[in-house]
Amino acid sequence: MVLMTPVMIMGDESAALRLDDVHRTYGTGPEAVRALRGVDVAFARGGFTAVMGPSGSGKSTLLQCAAGLDRPDRGRVVLDGTDLSGLGENQLTVLRREKLGFVFQAFNLVGSLTAEQNVGLPLRLAGRRPDRAEIHQALAAVGLAERARHLPSQLSGGQQQRVAVARALITRPKMLFADEPTGALDSTSSRDVLTLLRDLVDRDGQSTVMVTHDPVAASYADRVLFLADGTVVGDLERPSAQQIAERMTALETAA
Ligand code: ADP
Ligand code: MG
């Protein structure tokens, strides 16, 4: 099979990911919902960005489009120099597998597999035999070297989410996407997971985008992007949890 060469977009080399005038409407006619209405944003390489906004403002849709899980109706998404709109479904699947990592609120670990087997899964899916040392290094990086043989049910919520982070990073993704990664955790476990994400950015330059509704979680990021009604309405650099909470209150009052 001959794969089409992905279109390379030059310029703005500092961005790991860019959305140019992205629109996404669900449904048609009077029932249509304009979830994204012209989003322009660039995510810096090695940066940690939080995306916030009232419920229904388009955060999940933005993440889905950015991660090639959904397609914009208009505009384009450029990931690591590749315009995703030029890719077919199979190419998008390969790109997601090789270049992106995902962490979800519900951990999404396979319950019948041990921590180390879960971490090795993305490599198996990519047709590689997982290397023991590589997996142990990944588990050690999230502080769980001693839990390699445990099943998810034998781990706390925070530990399970750290296994999910190790799994997301085993392919050394260009971008890590996290959708409400602390939404199911207590405050102590949340802090562990957020400190881990922060360390990965500081230590390894891991580009990360995290959707959250929690101002404390967002305050771990370098930059917080605010969405309302499908557009970017604000952007704060290194804000405190207090500043973030104030901005959110203003947006929710306006909504
Ligand atoms: P958020 O994550 O900020 O809560 P979403 O991106 O999930 O927002 O949703 C944005 C808007 O699009 C909302 O009005 C939501 O109801 C609508 N929406 C999301 N997904 C769908 C879908 N699959 N079909 C129809 N409407 C949708
Ligand atoms: Mg959402």
Short mmCIF file of all heavy atoms in Angstrom, two decimals, residues 24-27 31 33-36 52-64 179 211 227 230, ligand 1:
data_model
loop_
_atom_site.label_atom_id
_atom_site.label_comp_id
_atom_site.label_asym_id
_atom_site.label_seq_id
_atom_site.Cartn_x
_atom_site.Cartn_y
_atom_site.Cartn_z
N ARG A 24 -16.64 23.62 14.17
CA ARG A 24 -17.25 22.29 14.25
C ARG A 24 -18.69 22.47 14.68
O ARG A 24 -18.98 23.02 15.76
CB ARG A 24 -16.51 21.40 15.26
CG ARG A 24 -17.12 20.02 15.42
CD ARG A 24 -16.88 19.13 14.20
NE ARG A 24 -17.29 17.77 14.43
CZ ARG A 24 -18.45 17.24 14.00
NH1 ARG A 24 -19.32 18.00 13.36
NH2 ARG A 24 -18.71 15.97 14.22
N THR A 25 -19.61 22.06 13.82
CA THR A 25 -21.04 22.14 14.11
C THR A 25 -21.62 20.74 14.18
O THR A 25 -21.30 19.90 13.33
CB THR A 25 -21.76 22.96 13.00
OG1 THR A 25 -21.19 24.27 12.98
CG2 THR A 25 -23.26 23.07 13.27
N TYR A 26 -22.40 20.47 15.20
CA TYR A 26 -23.09 19.18 15.30
C TYR A 26 -24.51 19.35 14.78
O TYR A 26 -25.20 20.29 15.18
CB TYR A 26 -23.15 18.69 16.75
CG TYR A 26 -21.81 18.37 17.35
CD1 TYR A 26 -21.24 19.19 18.33
CD2 TYR A 26 -21.10 17.22 16.97
CE1 TYR A 26 -20.01 18.88 18.90
CE2 TYR A 26 -19.87 16.92 17.54
CZ TYR A 26 -19.34 17.75 18.50
OH TYR A 26 -18.13 17.45 19.07
N GLY A 27 -24.93 18.45 13.90
CA GLY A 27 -26.29 18.49 13.39
C GLY A 27 -26.46 19.58 12.34
O GLY A 27 -25.52 20.30 12.02
N GLU A 31 -31.66 22.75 14.60
CA GLU A 31 -31.13 22.00 15.75
C GLU A 31 -29.61 22.08 15.85
O GLU A 31 -29.03 21.57 16.80
CB GLU A 31 -31.51 20.52 15.64
CG GLU A 31 -32.99 20.25 15.44
CD GLU A 31 -33.77 20.48 16.72
OE1 GLU A 31 -33.67 19.62 17.61
OE2 GLU A 31 -34.44 21.52 16.83
N VAL A 33 -25.82 22.71 16.50
CA VAL A 33 -25.06 23.28 17.62
C VAL A 33 -23.67 23.63 17.13
O VAL A 33 -22.93 22.76 16.68
CB VAL A 33 -24.95 22.28 18.80
CG1 VAL A 33 -24.10 22.88 19.92
CG2 VAL A 33 -26.33 21.90 19.32
N ARG A 34 -23.34 24.91 17.22
CA ARG A 34 -22.00 25.33 16.78
C ARG A 34 -21.05 25.20 17.97
O ARG A 34 -20.88 26.12 18.75
CB ARG A 34 -22.05 26.77 16.25
CG ARG A 34 -22.93 26.91 15.01
CD ARG A 34 -22.91 28.33 14.49
NE ARG A 34 -21.58 28.70 13.99
CZ ARG A 34 -21.19 29.95 13.76
NH1 ARG A 34 -22.01 30.95 14.02
NH2 ARG A 34 -19.98 30.19 13.30
N ALA A 35 -20.43 24.03 18.08
CA ALA A 35 -19.57 23.73 19.23
C ALA A 35 -18.27 24.52 19.19
O ALA A 35 -17.77 24.98 20.22
CB ALA A 35 -19.30 22.24 19.30
N LEU A 36 -17.70 24.69 17.99
CA LEU A 36 -16.50 25.52 17.82
C LEU A 36 -16.76 26.49 16.68
O LEU A 36 -17.22 26.09 15.61
CB LEU A 36 -15.26 24.66 17.49
CG LEU A 36 -14.81 23.64 18.54
CD1 LEU A 36 -13.60 22.86 18.03
CD2 LEU A 36 -14.46 24.32 19.87
N MET A 52 -9.88 25.71 29.80
CA MET A 52 -11.01 25.82 30.72
C MET A 52 -12.18 26.52 30.04
O MET A 52 -12.01 27.16 29.00
CB MET A 52 -10.62 26.65 31.94
CG MET A 52 -9.52 26.04 32.76
SD MET A 52 -9.49 26.79 34.40
CE MET A 52 -10.73 25.83 35.25
N GLY A 53 -13.33 26.43 30.64
CA GLY A 53 -14.51 27.11 30.11
C GLY A 53 -15.74 26.49 30.70
O GLY A 53 -15.69 25.36 31.18
N PRO A 54 -16.87 27.21 30.66
CA PRO A 54 -18.11 26.67 31.21
C PRO A 54 -18.49 25.37 30.50
O PRO A 54 -18.03 25.10 29.39
CB PRO A 54 -19.14 27.77 30.92
CG PRO A 54 -18.35 29.00 30.69
CD PRO A 54 -17.03 28.57 30.13
N SER A 55 -19.35 24.60 31.13
CA SER A 55 -19.86 23.38 30.53
C SER A 55 -20.53 23.73 29.19
O SER A 55 -21.27 24.71 29.11
CB SER A 55 -20.87 22.76 31.50
OG SER A 55 -21.45 21.65 30.91
N GLY A 56 -20.20 22.96 28.15
CA GLY A 56 -20.78 23.21 26.83
C GLY A 56 -20.04 24.24 26.02
O GLY A 56 -20.46 24.59 24.91
N SER A 57 -18.92 24.76 26.51
CA SER A 57 -18.20 25.81 25.79
C SER A 57 -17.36 25.27 24.63
O SER A 57 -16.84 26.05 23.83
CB SER A 57 -17.31 26.61 26.76
OG SER A 57 -16.38 25.76 27.40
N GLY A 58 -17.21 23.95 24.54
CA GLY A 58 -16.49 23.36 23.41
C GLY A 58 -15.15 22.74 23.75
O GLY A 58 -14.38 22.37 22.85
N LYS A 59 -14.85 22.57 25.03
CA LYS A 59 -13.54 22.04 25.44
C LYS A 59 -13.27 20.64 24.89
O LYS A 59 -12.21 20.38 24.32
CB LYS A 59 -13.44 21.99 26.98
CG LYS A 59 -13.66 23.33 27.66
CD LYS A 59 -13.49 23.22 29.17
CE LYS A 59 -14.51 22.34 29.87
NZ LYS A 59 -15.91 22.87 29.78
N SER A 60 -14.25 19.75 25.07
CA SER A 60 -14.04 18.37 24.61
C SER A 60 -13.96 18.33 23.09
O SER A 60 -13.14 17.59 22.53
CB SER A 60 -15.16 17.45 25.10
OG SER A 60 -15.09 17.34 26.50
N THR A 61 -14.78 19.13 22.42
CA THR A 61 -14.75 19.16 20.96
C THR A 61 -13.40 19.67 20.48
O THR A 61 -12.82 19.12 19.53
CB THR A 61 -15.89 20.06 20.42
OG1 THR A 61 -17.13 19.60 20.96
CG2 THR A 61 -15.94 20.04 18.91
N LEU A 62 -12.87 20.68 21.14
CA LEU A 62 -11.55 21.20 20.78
C LEU A 62 -10.50 20.10 20.92
O LEU A 62 -9.68 19.88 20.02
CB LEU A 62 -11.20 22.41 21.66
CG LEU A 62 -9.90 23.13 21.34
CD1 LEU A 62 -10.02 24.62 21.67
CD2 LEU A 62 -8.71 22.57 22.07
N LEU A 63 -10.54 19.39 22.04
CA LEU A 63 -9.56 18.32 22.28
C LEU A 63 -9.70 17.22 21.21
O LEU A 63 -8.71 16.73 20.68
CB LEU A 63 -9.76 17.75 23.68
CG LEU A 63 -8.56 17.06 24.29
CD1 LEU A 63 -7.53 18.09 24.73
CD2 LEU A 63 -8.97 16.21 25.49
N GLN A 64 -10.96 16.86 20.91
CA GLN A 64 -11.21 15.79 19.93
C GLN A 64 -10.68 16.18 18.54
O GLN A 64 -10.09 15.36 17.85
CB GLN A 64 -12.71 15.52 19.81
CG GLN A 64 -13.39 15.13 21.09
CD GLN A 64 -13.44 13.63 21.27
OE1 GLN A 64 -12.67 13.06 22.03
NE2 GLN A 64 -14.31 12.99 20.54
N ASP A 179 -7.94 14.75 29.39
CA ASP A 179 -9.30 15.30 29.53
C ASP A 179 -9.77 15.04 30.96
O ASP A 179 -10.06 13.90 31.31
CB ASP A 179 -10.24 14.66 28.50
CG ASP A 179 -11.53 15.46 28.32
OD1 ASP A 179 -11.77 16.42 29.10
OD2 ASP A 179 -12.31 15.15 27.41
N VAL A 211 -7.58 19.46 29.61
CA VAL A 211 -8.89 20.06 29.84
C VAL A 211 -9.26 19.83 31.30
O VAL A 211 -9.09 18.72 31.81
CB VAL A 211 -9.96 19.43 28.93
CG1 VAL A 211 -11.36 19.80 29.40
CG2 VAL A 211 -9.78 19.87 27.49
N LEU A 227 -12.32 29.14 27.09
CA LEU A 227 -13.27 29.02 25.99
C LEU A 227 -14.64 29.45 26.49
O LEU A 227 -14.99 29.20 27.65
CB LEU A 227 -13.42 27.56 25.56
CG LEU A 227 -12.42 26.88 24.65
CD1 LEU A 227 -12.94 25.51 24.28
CD2 LEU A 227 -12.15 27.69 23.41
N GLY A 230 -17.70 28.32 22.17
CA GLY A 230 -16.99 27.84 20.99
C GLY A 230 -15.88 28.72 20.47
O GLY A 230 -15.38 28.50 19.37
P1 ADP B 1 -17.50 21.02 26.99
O1 ADP B 1 -16.53 19.90 26.91
O2 ADP B 1 -16.86 22.37 27.15
O3 ADP B 1 -18.55 20.81 28.04
P2 ADP B 1 -18.42 20.07 24.41
O4 ADP B 1 -17.31 20.24 23.44
O5 ADP B 1 -18.65 18.69 24.95
O6 ADP B 1 -18.29 21.12 25.59
O7 ADP B 1 -19.78 20.53 23.72
C1 ADP B 1 -19.93 21.79 23.07
C2 ADP B 1 -21.37 21.89 22.54
O8 ADP B 1 -21.59 20.91 21.54
C3 ADP B 1 -22.42 21.62 23.62
O9 ADP B 1 -23.54 22.45 23.36
C4 ADP B 1 -22.79 20.16 23.40
O10 ADP B 1 -24.11 19.91 23.83
C5 ADP B 1 -22.64 20.02 21.91
N1 ADP B 1 -22.23 18.66 21.51
C6 ADP B 1 -21.09 18.01 21.87
N2 ADP B 1 -21.01 16.81 21.29
C7 ADP B 1 -22.14 16.67 20.54
C8 ADP B 1 -22.65 15.65 19.67
N3 ADP B 1 -21.98 14.52 19.47
N4 ADP B 1 -23.83 15.87 19.07
C9 ADP B 1 -24.51 17.01 19.26
N5 ADP B 1 -24.09 18.03 20.04
C10 ADP B 1 -22.92 17.87 20.67
#
